[in-house]
Amino acid sequence: MHVNQLTYRYPKATRPVLDGVSFTLQPNKLNVLIGQNGAGKTTLFDCMTGALPVDKTSLELVPTTDMLYLTQLMYNHHELTGKDFAYFIGRLSQRPDFKKLESYVNNLSTSREQELFEHLWTMKLGKMSVGEKKWLFVTLLSSIKRSLYLFDEPTSGVDPASRIQIMRRLQRLVDEGKTCLISTHQLHDLAQLDAHVIFLHGGRVLYEGDFQDWLDESGTTDPDEAFVRMVDTPLDDVAATR
Ligand SMILES: Nc1ncnc2c1ncn2[C@@H]1O[C@H](COP(=O)(O)OP(=O)(O)OP(=O)(O)O)[C@@H](O)[C@H]1O
C-alpha cells in the first residue's frame, strides 16, 4: 500500500500541511509515523481514511471499509461499561461470539492482560484511567478483522507496562499479516520492535526506512536525539532531498 504525492491544505490556511507526502507501508513491520507536534500526522491519518477529502489518485490503499482507524478522540460514553463497549465492538465486527467475557479473555496473551480485562469488564468508561481506556480500546478494536489498522498515538498517556502490552498487541496484528500504521512520540519503545519509520517534517517525508538505520544515519543511539537532529535540519535542506 502506498501514499503518492499526497497534498492537503486546510480551508483558509495559507500553506498545505501535507505537501507531496509519499511512502510505502510495509506489511511485515510496524509502520510508525513520527514528527513534531503539528507536523500533520493526524491530518495524514484523516486523509488516508477519507475523513478529509483528498485526490484519490494519491492513495493506493485498501477500501475504507477494510480499514480500522482509532483516532485520538476515542469514542467515549461515560456510562458504558467495558462489557457494553465490547458488545458494541462485537456488533461492528459481526462476531456474535464476542458477547462473552471468556471469548475475549481467552484471546489475551498474558495473565496481566487477562486480569486487566476482567477488571475493566464491569467498569464504566467514565471511571477508567486514560491508560486503561486506551489499552481496552486497542485490545477490542484489534479483534475486528481488517487489512489496514491505523492508530493515532495509541500509547500516549499510558504507563510503560501498558505501553509494552499495547505494542505487543500491535506487533501481533503485524505477525498475523495485517498492515499497521501508528503514530507515537515514545521513540524508545520502538527499539523493541521491527519498526518502519516514516518521519514527517515540513509537509514532507524526511526519512523512510528501518528504525535502526535511522539511528545509524543520525549518528546516535538515542532516538530522541536523532529526532532533535532531524527537526533541526533546515527546511531548505529538506527541499534539497526531495
Ligand atoms: N481543522 C483544522 N483547520 C485548520 N488547521 C488545522 C486543522 N486541524 C489541524 N490543523 C493544523 O494542521 C497542522 C497539523 O495538525 P495535526 O493535528 O495533523 O498535527 P500532528 O502531527 O498530529 O500533531 P500532534 O503530534 O500534536 O498530535 C497544525 O498546524 C494544526 O494547527
Side-chain angles (χ1 to χ4, degrees):
M1 295 186 227
H2 311 277
V3 171
N4 303 313
Q5 293 296 312
L6 175 69
T7 295
Y8 185 79
R9 184 164 64 84
Y10 283 103
K12 297 185 184 161
T14 50
R15 294 173 44 187
V17 180
L18 307 174
D19 188 11
V21 167
S22 300
F23 58 88
T24 299
L25 292 173
Q26 302 296 315
N28 53 347
K29 290 174 183 279
L30 185 64
N31 298 278
V32 184
L33 189 59
I34 61 178
Q36 282 178 299
N37 293 127
K41 300 178 294 298
T42 299
T43 306
L44 178 56
F45 280 122
D46 286 349
C47 291
M48 291 171 74
T49 54
L52 288 174
V54 289
D55 176 5
K56 294 279 187 298
T57 60
S58 56
L59 300 176
E60 284 178 56
L61 304 170
V62 292
T64 51
T65 49
D66 200 14
M67 295 179 187
L68 187 140
Y69 178 26
L70 179 62
T71 65
Q72 283 190 64
L73 298 171
M74 297 180 297
Y75 169 80
N76 190 357
H77 192 298
H78 286 250
E79 288 301 309
L80 290 186
T81 61
K83 178 183 177 182
D84 296 329
F85 188 64
Y87 278 30
F88 174 64
I89 296 300
R91 291 290 294 274
L92 278 183
S93 60
Q94 296 170 334
R95 295 188 58 170
D97 54 323
F98 278 171
K99 284 197 173 182
K100 289 194 170 64
L101 170 64
E102 303 83 62
S103 58
Y104 283 106
V105 168
N106 292 339
N107 252 336
L108 301 171
S109 49
T110 65
S111 57
R112 190 179 175 280
E113 277 192 313
Q114 294 184 355
E115 274 171 31
L116 186 56
F117 202 91
E118 285 178 31
H119 169 65
L120 299 179
W121 190 247
T122 50
M123 187 181 276
K124 291 182 176 171
L125 295 184
K127 292 199 170 157
M128 291 178 195
S129 75
V130 172
E132 285 174 336
K133 211 170 359 176
K134 281 219 166 173
W135 178 84
L136 184 73
F137 274 52
V138 171
T139 302
L140 289 174
L141 289 169
S142 62
S143 68
I144 296 179
K145 302 294 176 212
R146 294 285 191 274
S147 298
L148 175 59
Y149 295 79
L150 303 119
F151 294 100
D152 195 1
E153 295 196 28
T155 56
S156 67
V158 177
D159 72 59
S162 297
R163 284 212 314 268
I164 290 170
Q165 299 291 352
I166 288 176
M167 285 303 200
R168 281 196 189 138
R169 184 139 290 276
L170 298 174
Q171 186 61 50
R172 262 176 75 182
L173 281 176
V174 176
D175 295 343
E176 287 166 13
K178 308 296 187 179
T179 304
C180 202
L181 174 66
I182 68 162
S183 64
T184 187
H185 292 293
Q186 274 105 23
L187 305 181
H188 285 273
D189 290 352
L190 305 180
Q192 319 300 326
L193 301 160
D194 192 9
H196 180 72
V197 170
I198 299 156
F199 198 117
L200 202 56
H201 186 59
R204 292 277 178 149
V205 173
L206 191 50
Y207 174 84
E208 181 186 0
D210 281 352
F211 176 73
Q212 194 53 52
D213 293 345
W214 173 57
L215 292 182
D216 293 346
E217 282 183 29
S218 303
T220 174
T221 53
D222 179 354
D224 288 343
E225 177 58 27
F227 184 96
V228 172
R229 289 182 190 183
M230 281 216 113
V231 296
D232 281 348
T233 306
L235 285 178
D236 286 351
D237 292 353
V238 178
T241 61
R242 286 176 187 174

